[in-house]
Amino acid sequence: MFEQYQQLRHTRHAAAQLLQQITQLSAQHPAFDALKAVPEIGTLIASAYIASVGNGHQFQCGRQVSAWLGLVPRQYGTGGKIQLGSITKNGDRYLRSLLIHGARAAITRSKNCP
């Protein structure tokens, strides 16, 4: 039991060191502070976003970024009538899951506030 506790402590320490390294590397990017200013976006989400998207100059608008990440609904259309389906789930699965969890946390916090 003591060995497992020591292993847990070692793993937590290693995770803290990795988070510190990620923070130091990401802080060199100019968009890092802007991303962290958004509610519920922390170090991991901001660094994953920078790693996946980069500076974002390849996109013309936020909707294109959302589509690239798979966060927009799938569109079906016939005869001029467009129907929206579920999200497409294209793109970076890890970043999409982080963004969805951040959005859920923001919604939960906003519901708890008077």
Side-chain angles (χ1 to χ4, degrees):
M1 189 74 151
F2 182 72
E3 292 174 12
Q4 291 172 339
Y5 176 71
Q6 291 292 19
Q7 197 173 28
L8 176 65
R9 286 186 59 200
H10 175 70
T11 303
R12 285 184 177 173
H13 180 70
Q17 286 181 331
L18 286 173
L19 186 60
Q20 185 178 14
Q21 288 176 353
I22 289 170
T23 303
Q24 289 173 350
L25 288 172
S26 298
Q28 296 172 4
H29 198 281
F32 184 71
D33 291 329
L35 285 169
K36 285 194 63 170
V38 177
E40 304 305 328
I41 292 194
T43 303
L44 286 179
I45 296 176
S47 62
Y49 188 89
I50 289 169
S52 292
V53 177
N55 59 13
H57 291 296
Q58 66 271 31
F59 303 106
Q60 294 177 358
C61 62
R63 174 122 171 92
Q64 288 183 346
V65 178
S66 297
W68 183 75
L69 288 171
L71 292 171
V72 295
R74 187 176 309 271
Q75 293 183 357
Y76 303 98
T78 181
K81 185 175 181 181
I82 296 175
Q83 296 178 342
L84 300 178
S86 62
I87 63 172
T88 60
K89 297 184 182 177
N90 295 328
D92 189 346
R93 176 183 279 176
Y94 177 68
L95 179 57
R96 185 175 55 253
S97 68
L98 287 176
L99 289 171
I100 288 171
H101 287 303
R104 283 183 183 151
I107 290 169
T108 302
R109 280 196 180 176
S110 69
K111 287 182 180 178
N112 291 336
C113 294

